[in-house]
Amino acid sequence: MASPVLSTYRLQLRGASSGFAFTFADAEDLLDYLSDLGVSHVYLSPIMTAVGGSTHGYDVTDPTTVSAELGGAEGLARLSAAARKRGLGLIVDIVPNHVGVDQPQQNPWWWDVLRYGRSSAYAEFFDIDWELGDGRVVLPVLGSDDDIADLTVEGELLRLGDLAFPIAPGTGDGSGPDVHDRQHYRLVGWRNGVCGYRRFFSITSLAGLRQEDPAVFDAWHGEVARWVDEGLVDGVRIDHPDGLSDPTGYLSSLRTLLGPKTWIVIEKILAVDEALEPTLPVAGTTGYDVLREIGGLFVDPKGAPALTALVESAGMAYQAMPALLGELKAVATTDTLASELARLRRCIVAATGADDPRLPDAVAALLGHIDVYRTDYRGLSAALPTALADTAAAAPELGPALQLIAAAITDGGEPAVRLQQLCGAVTAKSVEDCLFYRDARLVSLNEVGGEPQRFGVGAAEFHHSAATRARLWPQTMTTLTTHDTKRGEDVRARIGVLSQVPSLWAEFVARWETSTPSPDPATALFLWQNIFGVWPADGVVTDSLRERLHAYAEKAIREAAWHTSWHDPDADFESAVHRWLDAVLDGSAARELTSLVAQLNSHAENDAIGQKLLALTVPGVPDIYQGTELWDDSLVDPDNRRPVDYGARRAALKSLDHPKIKVVAAALQLRRNRPQTFLHGGYHPVLATGSAAEHVVAFQRGDDVLVAVTRWTVHLQDSGWGDTVIPLPDGDWIDALSGAARSGATSAAELFAELPVVLLERADA
């Protein structure tokens, strides 16, 4: 095994057929750079064979092989050996919940099921709703049911355009429609709202697996076990365990398979008031909870009233957001996930022997009263009874249907499992994929695991959460940016500065709406903040930036599903938004955006550096998402998966002139030099005193490292630091960033003279 996991650096791998390649060989070329940066482990996106042209690897088609496009098993072995020579280890992202079925021929397990039906050796591998199709798998892949007439037979294939499906042995005679009627699958229009298998959320191209079946678990994890057994990797990141039938049981089996030393973290999205289940045999989560805490610390709560008023002036009743969320959850339950709801209903009826016409409404209402992804973790035992009580109190007429639900889930059987799986999907589709594209108060708060209605995070909450994490989850992952974040860390930092200048922001927006009227003020208010977040300091709008903003705007308005959507795009509204965006980029608003960025960018950079240092030094194992050691202006995927200029980063690391990479390198190297401090050292707040004390957040790790960052620096322009002092513990300290010696009570003006952050280590430790 390599050294303990002290830090990770996430790389997004992809084959050449995806548009541009980043393979094991490319990762190997970066190892010297990553070692010099101070990283302990290279963290790879999924590496199993995926759908051809995949840009992310989450649509695995063959979990028994390493992707040949990435370099295959040999390429992985070479990368691991090269990393070991440099004292680095490997972490790999794995996706046990689902596989890609968009191209059936590329998935041997799925293809076999379609060919042989329930007699297939893999029929029990997938969570298939055989009852829905009367023994056939219902595949919602057609534009409409009428497309059946256009099916053709080509040898042993049934074809429709680019779609190809297997023909069961001995059933290939006759016309396409006739042959289709004899198959183990039934093709239907995707607008019917039915699907014959559990999906990843509402994505029909990703079919759920039954990892609760030991045969499935063993078959799927054989390759992962080999990586660990042969010492190729040191840990795994588990994608979306909440989608599984039994996450706790799955993680227990995984821990047994991979052994006690393998570092395991899970992509578990925690609600603000939810603690990670303490009995799980993992090191922790992938860090969205820490992301919220760190980002929220730099949001000025004084800006909430003015930004709330601005949102309401655009026609959004902000106090009604909780009610809106309830409505969105109901839509997600009964419309987006109607197929899953129907399957759950049949399970409830089968378990109880009774039905109720209000059962779908009762399920939707119940899920509207649950604010976590699933409630069947031991530590959340009161969550579901509470939700049942709240639902009954809010809608007494649903009482009989709620009783049916309660009766069906009592023994923890299939109805209970499907309710939990539906709960997570509903939460994701309603919150992250819809509400977070509507809430325009301060969009930097609209992040996975976030709670925009809580306007930032106080220092007391931050300190307490960090200290708790040091005790309970010292090796959990911390992060600021992932392949799934809605905005990159530096974009969020810049947008967060608006909380310090809400009136100024409102003035600019009012002028822009006058000079360049938008098609919809609420939509524009959301987009204005994102445009500001990525606006170039030099004001030069490149073709690339224009294309990126247009692509983002289209995704944002479709996800919001107010005026247009993915399923029913409104061409007129979308065209109006695109015309407006071009007018913004080419008109007077562009000049004013450049002026505003010039006014606020130094504060945004201060906050970005502060967030980065905190993420690298608070309890936990920090992950650096590819490229974010320098300024990064990425928005949501696929924008955040663009090629990274590592030539620029190598040069920046050599010169250390860039403040962000200077902070990253210093913190990572300090972690490497003092592993006990960061893995096992405690967390102790250090409280500044004086007139500007609220602008400092500081803490000690162990007894030999002290971190201090500044925040809300716009307000310091007029008042300055005054008598603010940071009381350094006894002894001599050296700033790892500037080399300056410090001791005793030190004025903030002196401490932050060079950078808005300090990273002190004991000179004699």
Side-chain angles (χ1 to χ4, degrees):
M1 301 292 286
S3 59
V5 184
L6 293 166
S7 60
T8 64
Y9 189 100
R10 169 78 175 205
L11 294 175
Q12 291 295 118
L13 305 178
R14 50 197 289 169
S17 64
S18 69
F20 68 87
F22 195 90
T23 66
F24 295 140
D26 297 304
E28 189 174 341
D29 290 341
L30 286 181
L31 293 177
D32 286 334
Y33 165 72
L34 296 178
S35 178
D36 291 342
L37 188 62
V39 172
S40 80
H41 284 70
V42 182
Y43 166 29
L44 305 176
S45 61
I47 64 174
M48 292 171 172
T49 300
V51 171
S54 176
T55 61
H56 46 74
Y58 287 92
D59 43 5
V60 172
T61 54
D62 184 359
T64 68
T65 59
V66 176
S67 169
E69 278 203 282
L70 301 181
E74 297 80 7
L76 174 63
R78 284 194 298 270
L79 173 61
S80 179
R84 292 282 188 265
K85 288 181 181 179
R86 295 162 175 81
L88 302 175
L90 294 185
I91 308 297
V92 176
D93 193 346
I94 65 173
V95 194
N97 177 68
H98 54 264
V99 290
V101 296
D102 194 33
Q103 300 293 327
Q105 284 179 292
Q106 296 182 24
N107 189 320
W109 293 358
W110 188 247
W111 189 259
D112 198 78
V113 171
L114 297 185
R115 183 171 173 79
Y116 296 104
R118 302 190 82 158
S119 64
S120 167
Y122 304 103
E124 297 302 314
F125 278 41
F126 298 94
D127 192 357
I128 294 173
D129 186 356
W130 297 104
E131 182 182 348
L132 177 66
D134 293 325
R136 302 167 71 187
V137 187
V138 176
L139 305 180
V141 297
L142 303 180
S144 75
D145 291 348
D146 294 338
D147 291 342
I148 292 292
D150 298 324
L151 288 169
T152 60
V153 177
E154 185 178 299
E156 295 186 354
L157 298 178
L158 195 60
R159 284 195 174 276
L160 179 66
D162 294 333
L163 295 174
F165 301 92
I167 294 176
T171 66
D173 293 334
S175 68
D178 290 339
V179 171
H180 169 263
D181 289 343
R182 294 192 288 269
Q183 299 314 303
H184 296 290
Y185 52 84
R186 179 160 61 90
L187 308 182
V188 301
W190 65 267
R191 289 184 180 274
N192 292 343
V194 296
C195 184
Y197 49 89
R198 177 172 60 83
R199 305 170 286 178
F200 172 64
F201 299 154
S202 61
I203 303 174
T204 55
S205 61
L206 299 174
L209 292 169
R210 298 182 61 253
Q211 295 286 4
E212 65 273 20
D213 185 329
V216 180
F217 181 92
D218 292 343
W220 196 95
H221 289 85
E223 183 66 6
V224 180
R226 181 184 71 83
W227 302 339
V228 173
D229 291 344
E230 295 181 7
L232 299 176
V233 307
D234 305 297
V236 291
R237 177 257 196 197
I238 312 301
D239 184 73
H240 189 50
D242 275 348
L244 298 171
S245 169
D246 177 14
T248 301
Y250 167 80
L251 293 170
S252 178
S253 297
L254 186 68
R255 174 57 73 193
T256 299
L257 178 70
L258 301 186
K261 295 183 179 180
T262 302
W263 189 65
I264 301 175
V265 290
I266 58 175
E267 187 208 21
K268 170 64 178 165
I269 312 303
L270 298 170
V272 174
D273 298 321
E274 180 185 6
L276 181 62
E277 171 57 47
T279 62
L280 295 179
V282 300
T285 74
T286 52
Y288 286 113
D289 47 339
V290 182
L291 183 157
R292 181 193 72 86
E293 293 164 8
I294 292 175
L297 189 65
F298 291 83
V299 171
D300 186 353
K302 299 185 187 71
L307 290 177
T308 302
L310 180 60
V311 165
E312 292 183 337
S313 73
M316 179 185 292
Y318 201 75
Q319 298 305 315
M321 291 299 282
L324 174 61
L325 176 56
E327 295 171 7
L328 294 177
K329 283 194 169 187
V331 170
T333 305
T334 59
D335 185 2
T336 310
L337 298 162
S339 186
E340 286 74 11
L341 176 62
R343 191 176 185 185
L344 171 60
R345 182 180 186 177
R346 293 201 311 271
C347 289
I348 293 173
V349 172
T352 62
D355 196 359
D356 187 300
R358 301 298 302 270
L359 196 51
D361 293 334
V363 172
L366 175 62
L367 296 182
H369 284 91
I370 298 174
D371 60 2
V372 295
Y373 264 64
R374 57 190 300 157
T375 66
D376 56 347
Y377 292 103
R378 185 179 300 178
L380 294 175
S381 60
L384 190 51
T386 299
L388 285 165
D390 291 342
T391 307
E397 69 279 7
L398 297 178
L402 290 171
Q403 287 188 61
L404 282 181
I405 296 172
I409 65 177
T410 298
D411 63 359
E414 184 179 0
V417 169
R418 299 210 178 279
L419 178 66
Q420 296 296 334
Q421 290 173 316
L422 179 59
C423 181
V426 166
T427 300
K429 296 306 297 180
S430 60
V431 180
E432 297 165 22
D433 294 346
C434 190
L435 182 70
F436 282 2
Y437 286 93
R438 294 190 182 189
D439 189 327
R441 183 166 67 163
L442 187 66
V443 302
S444 59
L445 297 174
N446 302 6
E447 196 48 81
V448 181
E451 175 47 85
Q453 295 241 300
R454 293 198 183 189
F455 199 83
V457 172
E461 178 188 351
F462 176 84
H463 286 312
H464 187 269
S465 294
T468 301
R469 195 164 58 252
R471 293 194 307 273
L472 301 180
W473 303 103
Q475 291 184 285
T476 189
M477 181 179 278
T478 67
T479 191
L480 290 180
T481 302
T482 76
H483 63 284
D484 273 338
T485 41
K486 306 299 183 186
R487 280 156 285 274
E489 59 201 54
D490 299 331
V491 177
R492 292 198 310 273
R494 184 189 281 181
I495 294 171
V497 172
L498 299 179
S499 67
Q500 300 178 55
V501 290
S503 297
L504 177 67
W505 175 245
E507 292 171 8
F508 272 88
V509 169
R511 284 202 299 274
W512 296 335
E513 280 293 322
T514 299
S515 64
T516 317
S518 64
D520 174 66
T523 298
L525 192 56
F526 179 91
L527 292 175
W528 278 124
Q529 292 180 61
N530 290 282
I531 296 168
F532 168 72
V534 302
W535 196 258
D538 60 9
V540 176
V541 178
T542 63
D543 290 343
S544 173
L545 178 62
R546 186 182 296 269
E547 292 171 4
R548 290 172 55 215
L549 285 172
H550 275 288
Y552 177 77
E554 180 174 281
K555 179 168 185 170
I557 59 179
R558 288 185 178 183
E559 293 282 13
W562 251 340
H563 307 283
T564 186
S565 68
W566 294 107
H567 285 175
D568 295 296
D570 185 318
D572 291 339
F573 180 76
E574 292 187 2
S575 295
V577 170
H578 288 302
R579 288 194 301 271
W580 168 77
L581 183 55
D582 278 328
V584 168
L585 300 178
D586 297 328
S588 60
R591 294 189 294 274
E592 292 201 2
L593 276 162
T594 303
S595 173
L596 183 61
V597 168
Q599 185 175 347
L600 298 178
N601 200 47
S602 63
H603 304 287
E605 291 182 351
N606 286 353
D607 286 358
I609 294 171
Q611 290 184 45
K612 199 66 171 178
L613 182 58
L614 293 182
L616 292 165
T617 56
V618 296
V621 174
D623 173 54
I624 297 90
Y625 185 72
Q626 59 177 28
T628 58
E629 60 270 36
L630 291 184
W631 304 133
D632 177 71
D633 67 347
S634 294
L635 292 165
V636 74
D637 67 278
D639 196 55
N640 59 11
R641 300 171 189 177
R642 292 171 290 156
V644 176
D645 184 352
Y646 281 107
R649 282 154 181 79
R650 290 181 190 273
L653 180 60
K654 184 176 181 179
S655 68
L656 288 181
D657 290 335
H658 193 290
K660 193 176 184 187
I661 202 169
K662 185 175 185 178
V663 166
V664 171
L668 289 177
Q669 291 163 19
L670 186 60
R671 294 183 69 89
R672 189 163 59 188
N673 294 336
R674 299 177 183 266
Q676 292 303 309
T677 296
F678 288 99
L679 289 179
H680 307 293
Y683 177 96
H684 307 284
V686 174
L687 305 182
T689 61
S691 57
E694 67 176 1
H695 295 276
V696 178
V697 176
F699 55 86
Q700 205 175 334
R701 294 302 314 277
D703 61 2
D704 55 349
V705 172
L706 188 144
V707 177
V709 303
T710 61
R711 61 175 181 161
W712 308 340
T713 53
V714 173
H715 304 311
L716 288 173
Q717 292 180 130
D718 298 327
S719 60
W721 286 109
D723 59 351
T724 306
V725 169
I726 292 84
L728 304 184
D730 292 342
D732 296 324
W733 298 82
I734 300 293
D735 189 346
L737 299 172
S738 67
R742 307 292 185 192
S743 62
T746 305
S747 71
E750 178 184 357
L751 200 63
F752 301 117
E754 182 174 327
L755 287 171
V757 300
V758 293
L759 176 59
L760 304 179
E761 58 178 325
R762 281 195 183 275
D764 55 353

